Amino acid sequence: MKRNGETKRRRNVAEEAEQGGEDPAMWENLDRNFRQVQSVLDRNRSLIQQVNDNHQSKMADNMSKNVALIQELNGNISKVVSMYSDINTNFSSAFHGGNNRHDGGGGGTGTRAN
C-alpha cells in the first residue's frame, strides 16, 4: 500500500528528471528495483525474528524449523547481492552511454523479488 507522500515523491522525481532532460523511465525502474530489494530485506527481517523466537523457545521442533528458515535467509542474502549488482550495472550503463539497460531485462532485477 502506497502512502500519499511516497506517491508524491515518486511523481516529483519523475517530473524533475523529465525537466532536467533525464530519462524518467530509468528513475522509475531504479525506484522499482530498490523496492524489490526492500521487499526481500523485509522478508529477511521476518525470518530473523522467527529464528530468534524459535531459538528462545528451546523446543526441539522449533529449533529444527530454523534449518529451513536459515537456508531461506541465506538464499535471500545471495539474491540481494545479485539484485544490487544488477542495479549497479544498469545504473552505470545508463550514465556511461552504454546500452541503457533500464528495462530490467536480461535476467535483471525485474524478475527476482518474490
Side-chain angles (χ1 to χ4, degrees):
M1 180 163 63
K2 295 179 186 175
R3 289 178 257 142
N4 281 342
E6 183 178 341
T7 303
K8 188 175 182 180
R9 179 190 57 80
R10 286 191 189 126
R11 186 175 34 240
N12 288 342
V13 168
E15 289 171 359
E16 288 173 11
E18 196 171 304
Q19 291 171 359
E22 298 169 2
D23 184 0
M26 180 196 67
W27 291 108
E28 289 170 9
N29 184 59
L30 188 64
D31 184 58
R32 182 181 67 247
N33 290 338
F34 277 119
R35 283 185 278 123
Q36 289 173 340
V37 169
Q38 188 61 52
S39 175
V40 177
L41 293 174
D42 290 343
R43 174 65 180 153
N44 285 356
R45 181 183 302 116
S46 173
L47 289 170
I48 291 167
Q49 185 61 52
Q50 288 175 342
V51 167
N52 285 336
D53 291 346
N54 288 344
H55 183 73
Q56 289 176 355
S57 76
K58 299 186 194 285
M59 295 174 55
D61 186 49
N62 287 346
M63 298 291 268
S64 66
K65 290 177 184 178
N66 279 354
V67 173
L69 294 173
I70 291 169
Q71 287 173 338
E72 182 180 348
L73 183 61
N74 187 45
N76 285 351
I77 291 169
S78 296
K79 185 185 293 188
V80 167
V81 169
S82 178
M83 293 169 83
Y84 274 130
S85 177
D86 289 346
I87 289 170
N88 179 51
T89 299
N90 294 341
F91 190 76
S92 294
S93 293
F95 279 95
H96 290 89
N99 59 5
N100 287 331
R101 277 185 51 204
H102 57 77
D103 61 355
T109 57
T111 59
R112 288 222 165 85
N114 292 332

